[in-house]
Amino acid sequence: MVICETPDYLFPMLADIYYPIVEQGAYGNVKKSWVLDKSVACQFNKAGTANKQEIKPEAKLLLDSALVGRVKTDIRFSSEEEGHSLTNIVITNVRDKNSNVVYLETSGPRSGQPTIFEIATFEPLVGPFGNVEHYKLIIKRSENQAVDL
């Protein structure tokens, strides 16, 4: 069941949330089949770029691809209220209010497709009246962009 939230002025973007179906093979190998569960209203920006180089001059090029943002709902729970660990959630297809993909792979196995992100930090933001107002996220580009979604 795919649920889609409505964007607003605080959460002007949409992102797709995937959870895995985990299976174990005959030899004990674990296989994850990723399933689209919902699209959530969100907002993401580049994390901490004020005094930081994006590409560090070393023998290999390192791209710092962390984004900071927020979502309206607790994405640790699927649309069927099943809890998932943060390592079993991927975010992709982050798009603006006009449905344009914001973060897109330009090379490699997902060239031309939306970037896949993993969650680095997830925490609730509690307002002055003691209620959770939204959830703060730091997401990073997944090292494995070859995963089938």
Side-chain angles (χ1 to χ4, degrees):
M1 167 160 75
V2 178
I3 295 173
C4 186
E5 295 178 354
T6 305
D8 58 29
Y9 70 98
L10 287 176
F11 303 91
M13 306 166 108
L14 284 173
D16 293 342
I17 308 296
Y18 285 79
Y19 302 107
I21 295 173
V22 181
E23 299 171 334
Q24 191 168 3
Y27 300 106
N29 55 326
V30 175
K31 182 177 188 255
K32 292 182 180 181
S33 301
W34 294 95
V35 178
L36 173 62
D37 184 70
K38 57 188 166 187
S39 293
V40 295
C42 60
Q43 182 271 326
F44 286 106
N45 288 313
K46 188 77 175 145
T49 59
N51 298 314
K52 195 174 183 185
Q53 286 181 296
E54 186 168 311
I55 297 178
K56 299 173 179 138
E58 296 178 10
K60 59 181 181 175
L61 294 178
L62 297 174
L63 181 63
D64 183 9
S65 54
L67 300 172
V68 64
R70 61 182 179 253
V71 292
K72 286 182 178 183
T73 55
D74 191 344
I75 62 172
R76 295 173 297 177
F77 295 93
S78 69
S79 58
E80 297 175 359
E81 297 300 319
E82 183 180 337
H84 294 271
S85 70
L86 294 178
T87 57
N88 276 339
I89 303 170
V90 294
I91 299 172
T92 189
N93 200 21
V94 178
R95 50 206 185 275
D96 64 16
K97 67 178 182 176
N98 298 319
S99 294
N100 298 315
V101 175
V102 179
Y103 303 104
L104 189 70
E105 290 296 301
T106 56
S107 64
R110 287 185 58 86
S111 180
Q113 295 181 318
T115 301
I116 298 172
F117 294 96
E118 298 172 354
I119 299 171
T121 304
F122 182 85
E123 58 188 40
L125 181 76
V126 179
F129 300 108
N131 298 322
V132 174
E133 292 187 356
H134 63 269
Y135 297 87
K136 177 184 172 188
L137 284 164
I138 297 177
I139 59 174
K140 60 182 180 172
R141 181 182 176 274
S142 177
E143 292 288 325
N144 184 9
Q145 291 293 314
V147 69
D148 287 326
L149 295 181

